[in-house]
Amino acid sequence: MDLSLVPLLAILVSLVVVVPIMLSSARPNLREFWTILAAVIKFVLVLTLLPGAMRGESVQLHLVDLAPGIPLALNADPFGVYFAVIASGLWIFTSFYSIGYVRGAGEIKQTRYFASFAVCLSATIGIAFSANLITFLLFYEMLTVATYPLVIHNEKKEAIDAGRKYLAFTLTAGLLLVAASALVYHYTGTLDFTPGGILSDADLPHTAMLLLFILFLAAVGVKAGIMPIHGWLPAAMAAPTPVSALLHAVAVVKSGVFAITRVVGYVFGVDVMGDYGLNDILILLAGFTIIVASLIAFAQNNLKRRLAYSTVGHLSYIVLGVALLTPTGMTGGIMHIAAHATMKITLFFCAGAIYVNLHRTEISNLDGIAKVMPWTMAAFVIGSMGLAGIPPINGFFSKWTLALGSLEGDMIFPVIILVVSGILNVGYFFPIIYRAYFKPGKGLEKYGEASPLMVVPIMVTAVLSVLFGLFPNLFFGFYDLAVDISLSLFNSAAP
Amino acid sequence: MIESHLPAYIALTFVLFSVVIPAFGLWRSELSQPLAVLGSGIAAGFSVYGFINYLNEGSIRYFFGGWEPPVGIEFVYDGLSGFFVLVINVVAFFVMIHSHNLQKVEFPGKEMPYYSLAMLMMLGFNGMILTGDLFNLYVFLEIASLSGYALIAIGEKQAPYAAFRYLIIGTAGGTLYLLGVGFMYTITGTLNIIDMAAMLPMLFESNATFAALILMIVGVGVKAALFPMHGWLPDSYTYAASTSTALIAPIGTKVAAYILFRIILWMFGIEITDAIAPLSYIVGVLACIGILYGSIMAIAQTEMKRMLAYSSISQIGYIIMGLSLANPWGFAGALLHVLNHAIMKACLFMISGQLRLKEGHSDISRFDDSYRIKYPWTMASFSIAAISMIGLPPLAGFFSKWYLALGTIDNSNWLFLAVVLVSSLLNAVYFFRVLEKVYMMNPEKGQKEPAEATRNEASASMLWPTGILAVSLIVIGFANAIIVGILLNIFPM
Amino acid sequence: MLDFFLGHYAYWFTIILLCIGVYGILFKKNLIKKTIGLAILQISVVLYFVSIASKWDATVPVLDPNIPVDQVANYLNPLPHTLMLTAIVVGVATLGVAFTLLLAIYNRYETLDEEELIEKLQ
């Protein structure tokens, strides 16, 4: 079977579905049907690429020349497919959950919401399948623009301010990426992602390489929430919760860390990173972010903001794994993309369910809610314990791999950070669980569990987290895939 | 057969229609606009045909009356002039269609002189681009300028004063250009650009040519609104009728930029330009200051036309900056931006005209989210043009910035690179501000519910031109590799 | 040194005129005076062109039976003059447009003084 058009179709399906969504704005059920349909089709399309990816094959598609010598080209390589499977798979759950959420919360402009959501997913899959920096840039900016209506969705002052902040950060980042890409083009004459790095033969002076790396880091680090350029992420929590769940825990920020991995592994290459000492910068920044974000998370009383800072911290786990420049560390980082996605989406779903059902957003108001929302809170426990790295949930597994990876590189510092951060994670999640289960609640008599449209996705993602923890290879052979990806980066770098 | 006379046909079309319109307009003034559409349409057709012909057959040198230079006057239809003629005539065609419903509101009773003047102005612009003779260029420059002053004066109450200020500074600029031409004639004894280009290498490091060059750059710089000679532009664009602005803003400054291209890159060549002082770098720095100044001033405006006017100062800076880089990428970026900016600005100014027609104002502070329901297609076109101005891929505006960035890097000119990037951000500030107003509730004014309104969209004669221009921005974005391939071939060095 | 000035007196005259013109445009508050400055500026350039065409011991470029055609040096260069005919026409047209605009301004604001005008515009 010829698969060459599949990556394009996977991107287009959610872009095309915007039209029927807009047209059926007067009929909500039909409109939501389109969303679900697109989500399922997209997932199936991405899955058809998976067997090839498992064999280490890539599906390449050259569309048009965007500039002389720089094509708009897609390349569904194993890493891209890996990311696309996560994003498109979780979109299905988020779609169901969104329906329950926006109707339960009575949100305005629901058509715009679903349309923007679909465009975001197109952009995310586009990022996953980009074959070169220009194509990547195109989808990266598309993601920025499409996310903006979601961030400002409720159009209150706070949301609009958050939207401005979001644009300020991400548009600046986009421009830096333009500059960085132009420089790479100037030095090498190509922009195609290559395992082992484009810049490996460029032989630049040390300062130039360092500046270029910082430029890239600032450009893609914004979306990856690396401190000190993470400011938009907590602010963007003004968005509806499904947006926070899928975009700010999975699609947007994961695009950021995905991009960092692309930059490290496919633009600079592991050799260049090591030779020029660029990975030390990355390790330091990531370690700093992990610890500081966890500490700030303690101080947050708003549940979603606490989750946001937790996200900032966990993204840097992935960055740390990539920066270790050891195959095992890379595997751990790539695994954590999936692990954090399932766990954090569970937690955000829980926060949204609590908000829609009880209209509570502050942690200090959550006393005793486990009695009325037992399923939701059970999922919350699974998600939070997973993030803290308690076995057998998948967060443990990726952290364990990360620790092994740093030992493989004879580095102790990252291991210490991982341990300290695990303790801090327990520290900021435990009070929530304690309040929900052991403190007496007030005024909860008339409430019950949230609507099934929300609870079922929550349970599914929570169960997925456990299953991935127990059997990393159960679905789609994810662990093997991650190992193959990281090995491909190291093997091709070898002469 | 038609090919060999093509350059003359383009100009003669406008001559013909500037006479035909009064002839029919005196009889029936409502015929003026359709005739103007017809005239600019025919010229646009010739331009398209001519450019295709250029791609297949190469340049045309057309000698009027068969008199070869230096005795006669010639029109040169090469890649550069063909490209500019194509851009301005196609844009003018759309603007003319768009003016159908505006004419009764903005200049009632003056349709006939208005469209006749518009044709004369287009004649001037086309003549400036096509002519191969420096003095002839001056005459066409004055034809375009004089009709331009008159067009600007037909507008709001303040328009005559704005036009007068433009007249004073514009004529002074034209006179300085003429003085520069005088110097060049004294030195070389010819007025033909091609002859002069052949002689100039012998005059390397001549003070007199250097002075002439400065005079010409200053004179034309006034017309191009190159910082700090931009003072006339904001008032003129704001107070003129929307159709005039939509016609002059995308075209007028571009044509002046064309003269700079022709003089600096073709006639003098970058080595002679920079022989005595780094003139191209100075021009580039001025352009950069203009880029930042225009963007910052645009942020400070609340009136949409004024905002767009300042934005024009900034955008012309991109073009001249690309010229000053004098390398293939910078050149391609600048010329691509000529095309993109002409389309974007025409589209945006036309939309401001639509809003003025429907709402009676184009004051951004009074925009609200009912516009989204009242004018869905207008606002969709606006969004596309605005996002293209900001420079997000895959819209056309991104690519001109991309090539300009490549050009600055090729020259290791980090200052210019930073300016290109920073200015994009500033563009984002002033365009997203409008989009915010139009697409969102205003919580600061206590709005709690999305506005209710009924659709009140502009007529088809306005929606189609803006819509087509907006869609063409997407098309150009994807097709820019082809366009840039052509442009790189035009680059003279 | 003195020769340099005297030898080029026509050019110095032009330069002075040009400066007067620029001065009028920049510093005169009355719009009519500005327009006059503009006219002087244009005239100075016209005179420059005319003066570059002049030659000692040459006659008008009308064929004289006593001077053969191939002795081009004995005729004046006619081209700058013809160019300036066009330029003068352009100048007159510019003045016409300028005065029309001034009339429109005066009818609307009843002043031609720049400072007053700017006050009334606000």
Side-chain angles (χ1 to χ4, degrees), chain B residues 152-418:
Chain B
I152 287 171
I154 303 175
E156 289 174 27
K157 192 181 172 205
Q158 302 96 318
Y161 180 54
F164 180 77
R165 277 179 55 191
Y166 180 24
L167 181 145
I168 294 284
I169 189 167
T171 310
T175 311
L176 290 184
Y177 168 83
L178 183 60
L179 188 59
V181 174
F183 281 21
M184 293 308 293
Y185 178 70
T186 323
I187 299 160
T188 62
T190 178
L191 288 168
N192 185 283
I193 292 175
I194 295 172
D195 286 357
M196 205 174 270
M199 275 183 233
L200 274 167
M202 290 176 268
L203 298 163
F204 200 76
E205 292 196 352
S206 145
N207 283 325
T209 53
F210 184 67
L213 181 60
I214 290 179
L215 281 171
M216 286 164 144
I217 290 177
V218 170
V220 178
V222 168
K223 294 281 169 192
L226 175 65
F227 186 90
M229 293 164 281
H230 61 274
W232 56 271
L233 188 144
D235 279 348
S236 310
Y237 283 12
T238 312
Y239 299 128
S242 299
T243 304
S244 317
T245 318
L247 195 58
I248 297 171
I251 294 175
T253 48
K254 305 291 176 308
V255 177
Y258 162 84
I259 305 175
L260 290 178
F261 273 98
R262 188 59 92 187
I263 292 175
I264 292 180
L265 291 182
W266 264 260
M267 202 172 97
F268 282 84
I270 198 71
E271 287 85 10
I272 302 177
T273 305
D274 286 345
I276 291 177
L279 208 53
S280 68
Y281 186 74
I282 295 169
V283 170
V285 170
L286 287 180
C288 282
I289 298 172
I291 292 174
L292 294 179
Y293 167 85
S295 303
I296 291 168
M297 289 304 285
I299 292 173
Q301 306 306 320
T302 55
E303 158 66 44
M304 185 168 157
K305 273 172 86 179
R306 216 175 169 78
M307 178 184 100
L308 294 175
Y310 276 109
S311 157
S312 291
I313 298 177
S314 144
Q315 302 293 317
I316 196 77
Y318 281 121
I319 296 166
I320 295 176
M321 188 188 90
L323 156 70
S324 79
L325 293 171
N327 62 33
W329 288 127
F331 175 80
L335 280 203
L336 188 64
H337 203 62
V338 166
L339 172 65
N340 294 344
H341 182 243
I343 293 175
M344 294 186 284
K345 262 301 143 53
C347 184
L348 290 169
F349 272 116
M350 274 148 65
I351 287 169
S352 79
Q354 269 161 252
L355 290 176
R356 284 185 167 219
L357 182 70
K358 289 282 175 187
E359 293 280 326
H361 69 87
S362 55
D363 187 357
I364 297 166
S365 59
R366 286 158 67 194
F367 284 14
D368 61 40
D369 68 329
S370 64
Y371 286 28
R372 158 182 87 83
I373 304 163
K374 283 193 264 184
Y375 320 114
W377 294 108
T378 308
M379 284 303 147
S381 303
F382 179 86
S383 307
I384 294 176
I387 291 175
S388 176
M389 289 287 293
I390 294 166
L392 295 181
L395 292 170
F398 165 76
F399 290 98
S400 29
K401 282 181 190 167
W402 167 255
Y403 295 116
L404 284 174
L406 284 180
T408 58
I409 291 172
D410 276 358
N411 280 16
S412 299
N413 201 329
W414 311 118
L415 173 74
F416 289 9
L417 177 64

Side-chain angles (χ1 to χ4, degrees), chain A residues 65-68 109 112 137-138 141 145 148 152 155 157 160 164 167 171-172 175 178-179 182-183 185-186, chain B residues 372 392-394 398-399 402-403 406 409-410 414 421 424-425 428 432 436 439-441 443-444 478 480-481 484:
Chain A
D65 271 358
L66 273 182
K109 297 184 183 170
R112 181 180 73 184
L137 184 65
L138 192 156
E141 299 280 27
V145 174
Y148 175 72
I152 52 93
E155 302 184 9
K157 184 156 184 344
I160 291 177
R164 288 181 184 158
L167 280 184
L171 286 179
T172 314
L175 287 172
V178 173
L183 281 166
Y185 186 72
H186 176 72
Chain B
R372 158 182 87 83
L392 295 181
F398 165 76
F399 290 98
W402 167 255
Y403 295 116
L406 284 180
I409 291 172
D410 276 358
W414 311 118
L421 298 181
S424 290
L425 269 190
F432 265 108
E436 243 182 29
Y439 283 102
M440 267 177 259
M441 299 190 293
E444 279 163 25
F478 282 106
N480 82 85
V484 168

Side-chain angles (χ1 to χ4, degrees), chain A residues 39-291:
Chain A
V40 172
I41 294 177
K42 183 187 279 273
F43 188 56
V44 170
L45 284 172
V46 173
L47 280 188
T48 57
L49 293 169
L50 195 63
M54 299 292 292
R55 291 192 298 272
E57 295 165 6
S58 308
V59 179
Q60 290 171 343
L61 182 61
H62 175 119
L63 290 168
V64 290
D65 271 358
L66 273 182
I70 311 174
L72 174 63
L74 301 175
N75 178 12
D77 66 347
F79 188 33
V81 173
Y82 175 87
F83 181 50
V85 167
I86 300 168
S88 61
L90 291 176
W91 187 32
I92 300 180
F93 301 122
T94 316
S95 303
F96 280 110
Y97 179 84
S98 287
I99 298 167
Y101 181 90
V102 293
R103 295 190 180 175
E107 295 280 349
I108 56 167
K109 297 184 183 170
Q110 296 185 3
T111 305
R112 181 180 73 184
Y113 174 89
F114 284 104
S116 306
F117 224 127
V119 179
C120 280
L121 258 292
S122 281
T124 309
I125 305 297
I127 287 175
F129 290 160
S130 295
N132 57 38
L133 273 167
I134 278 277
T135 316
F136 178 81
L137 184 65
L138 192 156
F139 289 112
Y140 196 74
E141 299 280 27
M142 185 169 148
L143 184 61
T144 301
V145 174
T147 316
Y148 175 72
L150 296 171
V151 172
I152 52 93
H153 182 78
N154 68 16
E155 302 184 9
K156 300 214 172 70
K157 184 156 184 344
E158 184 200 7
I160 291 177
D161 289 345
R164 288 181 184 158
K165 197 168 187 179
Y166 174 72
L167 280 184
F169 274 94
T170 48
L171 286 179
T172 314
L175 287 172
L176 294 179
L177 194 56
V178 173
S181 309
L183 281 166
V184 169
Y185 186 72
H186 176 72
Y187 287 130
T188 65
T190 178
L191 289 174
D192 295 337
F193 291 128
T194 328
I198 313 174
L199 287 164
S200 51
D201 303 327
D203 207 20
L204 292 179
H206 189 269
T207 354
M209 195 64 105
L210 187 67
L211 285 173
L212 191 56
F213 182 68
I214 290 173
L215 211 53
F216 265 113
L217 194 60
V220 293
V222 163
K223 282 211 166 91
I226 292 178
M227 282 186 175
I229 44 178
H230 67 288
W232 64 274
L233 213 168
M237 289 301 134
T241 309
V243 176
S244 311
L246 185 66
L247 298 179
H248 301 150
V250 183
V252 175
V253 294
K254 291 292 153 54
S255 301
V257 286
F258 179 82
I260 287 190
T261 318
R262 280 278 194 231
V263 167
V264 169
Y266 296 78
V267 175
F268 284 84
V270 283
D271 284 352
V272 171
M273 291 292 295
D275 294 347
Y276 287 81
L278 302 176
N279 61 327
D280 296 339
I281 306 171
L282 211 51
I283 289 180
L284 279 176
L285 274 176
F288 174 79
T289 309
I290 292 173
I291 301 295

Side-chain angles (χ1 to χ4, degrees), chain A residues 346-389:
Chain A
T346 310
L347 293 180
F348 272 114
F349 280 176
C350 292
I354 294 167
Y355 168 69
V356 169
N357 203 25
L358 305 176
H359 302 289
R360 295 184 181 189
T361 54
E362 306 302 303
I363 290 166
S364 51
N365 288 340
L366 297 184
D367 296 354
I369 60 162
K371 290 205 176 55
V372 285
M373 305 179 71
W375 293 103
T376 308
M377 285 318 291
F380 191 91
V381 172
I382 294 175
S384 53
M385 290 303 108
L387 284 177

